[in-house]
Amino acid sequence: MLRRRPGNELTRNRNFTIFWAGQTLSFIGDAFSIVAMPLLILQVTGSLTQMGVVTALYGVGSLFAGIAAGPIVDRFDRRKLMIRCDLGRAILYALVPVGWWLLGPQLWLVYAVALLGSALAMLFGVAYITAVANLVDRDQIVDANGRLQSSYALAFILGPFLAGVISARFGAPLAIGLDGFTFLASAISLSFVRLRRAS
């Protein structure tokens, strides 16, 4: 009797397929924002120093969120936590073009979005890593993580390219606002996913 290959069964895993598609969009959003936010600062100020500051704020947000992420992820429902992180990022990134439109260039807003957005991204990332084990069988975890990491690598090729093209054509504020839609799409996809209970 032929044994099924884990990869074939993984393809038929509806929850993982939806999760994978949503995370691919989320990865693109992460890669997009890492380029679009500093580019916006550079366009407004012409200062490489200010561009470095907004990039550093990504690291600061990730660092502090990373310290607290483990206990938070253990305490709360992972799927709901990821959805909230995605919705939070969608709202944050939408604030940039709205703020630009209503108030004009607001550098403090970009800095706040960079800091809070990166913190939510880190919290999301820890929850997402632990959620994979609740989506697939134990013998499929390596294959599942391989597919997710491939999407991650692809996103960090496409994301910066798209950020540059859209920023050049429509302006960096609108590009950052459009980035929010990737996180909204990810949140919607997660609402259709059901995680198994941890064994």
Side-chain angles (χ1 to χ4, degrees):
M1 182 172 167
L2 290 174
R3 191 175 169 215
R4 290 184 190 177
R5 294 178 60 194
N8 293 336
E9 291 184 8
L10 190 58
T11 303
R12 290 191 285 271
N13 183 329
R14 173 188 169 275
N15 281 319
F16 175 75
T17 301
I18 294 171
F19 180 80
W20 184 19
Q23 291 329 291
T24 299
L25 289 172
S26 183
F27 295 152
I28 290 172
D30 287 334
F32 195 103
S33 60
I34 285 172
V35 171
M37 297 286 274
L39 185 58
L40 174 59
I41 292 294
L42 184 62
Q43 286 179 349
V44 171
T45 67
S47 169
L48 293 174
T49 301
Q50 294 296 323
M51 184 177 164
V53 168
V54 78
T55 304
L57 286 171
Y58 272 102
V60 171
S62 296
L63 175 64
F64 284 102
I67 293 168
I72 293 172
V73 170
D74 283 340
R75 185 172 181 182
F76 294 100
D77 179 279
R78 290 168 188 167
R79 185 179 70 92
K80 289 180 181 176
L81 181 62
M82 288 189 291
I83 290 171
R84 288 173 184 158
C85 286
D86 270 338
L87 291 176
R89 288 187 288 175
I91 292 167
L92 280 172
Y93 289 114
L95 288 175
V96 173
V98 171
W100 244 246
W101 180 58
L102 293 176
L103 305 171
Q106 300 293 317
L107 298 185
W108 67 268
L109 179 60
V110 178
Y111 295 142
V113 169
L115 183 67
L116 296 174
S118 64
L120 289 174
M122 174 58 74
L123 186 57
F124 181 96
V126 173
Y128 129 80
I129 289 169
T130 59
V132 174
N134 301 119
L135 280 168
V136 301
D137 295 334
R138 186 169 294 179
D139 63 347
Q140 298 172 333
I141 289 176
V142 172
D143 189 24
N145 281 326
R147 294 181 190 203
L148 287 163
Q149 287 303 310
S150 295
S151 292
Y152 183 84
L154 178 62
F156 273 81
I157 295 170
L158 289 178
F161 171 75
L162 292 173
V165 170
I166 294 172
S167 294
R169 185 163 180 87
F170 301 106
L174 182 59
I176 292 168
L178 291 174
D179 183 27
F181 281 105
T182 65
F183 300 118
L184 182 60
S186 174
I188 291 169
S189 74
L190 284 167
S191 71
F192 291 100
V193 170
R194 295 294 173 264
L195 300 180
R196 305 169 182 170
R197 289 188 180 274
S199 53

